[in-house]
Amino acid sequence: MGRSHPQVGREGAGRQDVGRNACCLGRVMALPSEVLWNRDPHTEAKHAMLAEYLKAWFPIMASSWASTGITYVDAFAGPGEYTDGGWGSPVIALRAATAPGVSGHETELRMVFIEERADRLDHLTGLIERCQLSSHRTKLTTVNARCQESLLPVLEAAGAWGGPMFVNLDGWGVDTPYAIVERVGKNRSSEVLVTVQTQWFTRFASLDDVTAGDLVFGSTDWRAVADLPTESKKSFLVSHYLARLADAGFPHTLTFEMVDEGGHELLLVFGTTSSLGVDKMKNAMWSVDKVNGQRFRDPRDVNQLSFEVVNNNPDLTLLRRQIMDLLDGGERSLAALKDHALLQTVFKKTHVDPAVRQLADEGRVERTSAKSHEGVVVRLAPVALF
């Protein structure tokens, strides 16, 4: 099924098939039953973002970690393609890993693909072989298993610990145990991308599933959501999960929701040890404006303001409000506002200048002049009496 794909490389050595019966516990929501299925708008946008990010991640890591090698993991790999001809994330990752800017480095590239359904894994491995989506630097490990039991031992068997890894946890609403995220967070220079349906995450707000909630959050502190008003529950759960990622070893996080034309929501949470990783992921996120019908939202925003991701003329309404809220606590340097935008919002550093200019033009803030951003100070404008 799906379109035929051109041959783009050569198959690498070292492929392993590890187990047939073991990767993440939980309740799965609306899984398609076919081997292949049609790609929805969320998936198209998410994969466009992933492709853009991995184009930066593989060359950077391959150029710096030849002594340890690097690892990409798809914990819910799927069949590798869709009925409409779109590539799945394993193929996207392999194409990025075998690009000229990567293959020239003396770095082992460990590609780990875990899939619970044998027919989908068979389709993926066949696709990789037919399209020759590997190089001599690639060590391919395919696993027919569930991720909860198998992910950590498979990484051990692949020799992944000690080198950077990017772990893609796209589980269709499957509960990914905190213990897995925490173990990855203890590894050097590792990153996780957790993708869930928003309604899967917010099911914890009712405390109907405390066992799964304790598994996902790795503690019982999240149960405080029961005492909050309805409009604050999602923001609390997301903020608490980000705090747990920080506890796990990911000091920098990025989270946002994709909302399609039908109002369907998808929550993405990215954890990294590097502010550069956040910057590169935001660049990737803001590159998906060509995918029609997608709007984005900060899940921590209680007003749930959504906006289009358009690089040429972005909607900065939410960022302007966030800057005003921050200035309520006192003046800030322009550099501090940019750091806040990078690490605490869904916006990029480059969005701060136009947002501050707009606020200044409206008479809502004042900014001083200086030769550098560190010297520029932004403060709330005095309230006009008349």
Side-chain angles (χ1 to χ4, degrees), residues 32 34-40 78-79 81-84 120 172:
E34 302 85 0
V35 175
L36 302 181
W37 61 94
N38 198 45
R39 181 177 55 173
D40 59 56
E81 63 179 338
Y82 296 89
T83 54
D84 65 351
R120 288 177 180 162
W172 284 83

Side-chain angles (χ1 to χ4, degrees), residues 357-378:
R357 281 198 302 270
Q358 292 170 16
L359 290 170
D361 291 343
E362 295 170 4
R364 301 174 67 187
V365 304
E366 296 176 340
R367 57 177 290 172
T368 63
S369 298
K371 294 182 179 180
S372 67
H373 288 164
E374 288 75 13
V376 175
V377 174
V378 183

Side-chain angles (χ1 to χ4, degrees), residues 20 35 115-125 144-145:
R20 300 289 295 179
V35 175
E115 170 56 42
E116 182 176 359
R117 279 186 46 168
D119 53 354
R120 288 177 180 162
L121 186 66
D122 288 344
H123 188 94
L124 173 62
T125 55
N144 175 212

Side-chain angles (χ1 to χ4, degrees), residues 6-124:
Q7 294 186 350
V8 294
R10 297 186 64 185
E11 182 183 18
R15 190 180 78 191
Q16 294 176 261
D17 290 313
V18 183
R20 300 289 295 179
N21 55 6
C23 175
C24 284
L25 171 71
R27 182 167 60 187
V28 180
M29 300 180 66
L31 276 172
S33 59
E34 302 85 0
V35 175
L36 302 181
W37 61 94
N38 198 45
R39 181 177 55 173
D40 59 56
H42 279 331
T43 300
E44 183 181 1
K46 177 185 62 182
H47 284 172
M49 182 189 71
L50 181 65
E52 191 69 22
Y53 183 76
L54 293 179
K55 282 196 298 185
W57 187 82
F58 275 108
I60 291 172
M61 292 303 175
S63 66
S64 304
W65 294 87
S67 62
T68 63
I70 63 177
T71 305
Y72 172 87
V73 181
D74 238 313
F76 305 88
E81 63 179 338
Y82 296 89
T83 54
D84 65 351
W87 298 108
S89 52
V91 175
I92 290 170
L94 280 166
R95 295 182 71 181
T98 54
V102 181
S103 57
H105 297 288
E106 302 292 321
T107 304
E108 182 178 69
L109 309 174
R110 294 178 289 266
M111 310 296 289
V112 177
F113 302 136
I114 299 172
E115 170 56 42
E116 182 176 359
R117 279 186 46 168
D119 53 354
R120 288 177 180 162
L121 186 66
D122 288 344
H123 188 94
L124 173 62

Side-chain angles (χ1 to χ4, degrees), residues 264-283:
H264 304 109
E265 304 166 347
L266 192 70
L267 178 68
L268 288 90
V269 183
F270 174 64
T272 178
T273 59
S274 167
S275 59
L276 177 62
V278 177
D279 184 58
K280 295 297 184 183
M281 184 59 80
K282 282 194 176 181
N283 288 338

